[in-house]
C-alpha cells in the first residue's frame, strides 16, 4: 500500500518535480542523437551546474543504490537516477525526503564543466525526465 501511494503521489507531481540542482540548464537531452556520425541513445539528461553544487532528491523515497558517483532512489514503482557525482552523502536503504542532499555535482572531463546526469524510469522502462521537472 505504501509503494502504491508513493507511486500515485509521484505520478501526480508530473511537471512539478523540483530540479535536482538549484541552478542549471540542460546541455544534453534524453533519447536518440547522432554524435560524430554515431547514433547514441541517452537514457537521461545532462544538466550543467556550478562546481560542487548540491544535488538533491526530487521526491521522497529510498536509496536503492549508492556507489561512487551514482545514486538511485526508489519512489514506489518509479526510480530517479543521479550520476557524475563528485561525492555521495547517502547510503543504501536510507529513507530520503524531497529536497534532501544526496551528493555534489562532479566535473565532466570531456565537457570541462560540472554536470549532473539525471534520469527517471518506471520499473525497467526509462523515460524523458524533462516534462516531469518544473519549468
Amino acid at each position: 500500500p505504501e509503494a502504491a501511494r508513493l507511486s500515485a503521489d509521484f505520478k501526480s507531481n508530473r511537471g512539478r518535480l523540483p530540479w535536482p540542482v538549484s541552478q542549471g540548464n540542460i546541455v544534453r537531452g534524453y533519447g536518440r542523437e547522432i554524435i560524430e556520425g554515431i547514433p547514441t541513445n541517452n537514457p537521461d539528461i545532462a544538466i550543467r551546474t556550478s562546481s560542487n553544487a548540491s544535488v538533491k532528491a526530487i521526491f521522497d523515497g529510498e536509496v536503492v543504490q549508492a556507489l561512487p558517483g551514482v545514486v538511485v532512489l526508489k519512489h514506489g514503482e518509479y526510480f530517479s537516477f543521479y550520476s557524475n557525482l563528485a561525492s555521495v552523502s547517502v547510503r543504501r536503504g536510507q529513507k530520503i525526503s524531497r529536497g534532501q542532499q544526496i551528493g555534489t555535482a562532479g566535473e565532466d572531463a570531456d565537457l570541462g564543466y560540472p554536470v549532473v546526469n539525471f534520469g527517471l524510469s518506471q520499473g525497467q522502462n526509462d523515460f524523458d525526465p524533462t516534462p516531469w521537472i518544473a519549468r
Side-chain angles (χ1 to χ4, degrees):
E2 183 182 342
R5 181 193 55 75
L6 198 56
S7 296
D9 286 352
F10 188 90
K11 187 175 183 178
S12 71
N13 275 277
R14 185 172 196 242
R16 295 190 312 253
L17 293 171
W19 283 55
V21 291
S22 296
Q23 295 182 347
N25 61 301
I26 298 170
V27 293
R28 182 188 40 75
Y30 172 87
R32 186 177 163 91
E33 70 176 334
I34 308 293
I35 301 173
E36 298 179 9
I38 301 169
T40 304
N41 188 42
N42 299 317
D44 53 20
I45 60 175
I47 302 171
R48 182 179 183 168
T49 189
S50 56
S51 283
N52 296 313
S54 178
V55 179
K56 298 177 182 176
I58 58 149
F59 205 74
D60 296 347
E62 181 180 338
V63 179
V64 292
Q65 190 171 58
L67 301 170
V70 179
V71 171
V72 179
L73 303 179
K74 183 177 183 181
H75 319 281
E77 64 189 56
Y78 292 91
F79 295 86
S80 57
F81 304 84
Y82 312 77
S83 62
N84 197 52
L85 304 178
S87 69
V88 171
S89 55
V90 293
R91 66 188 183 295
R92 187 176 180 173
Q94 184 177 348
K95 297 287 187 195
I96 299 295
S97 298
R98 177 180 174 145
Q100 183 176 336
Q101 182 171 340
I102 58 171
T104 58
E107 188 86 6
D108 185 296
D110 293 333
L111 298 174
Y113 49 78
V115 169
V116 172
N117 296 320
F118 172 67
L120 293 175
S121 74
Q122 184 175 13
Q124 297 290 321
N125 303 312
D126 60 345
F127 54 88
D128 186 355
T130 310
W132 287 72
I133 53 179
R135 291 280 162 211

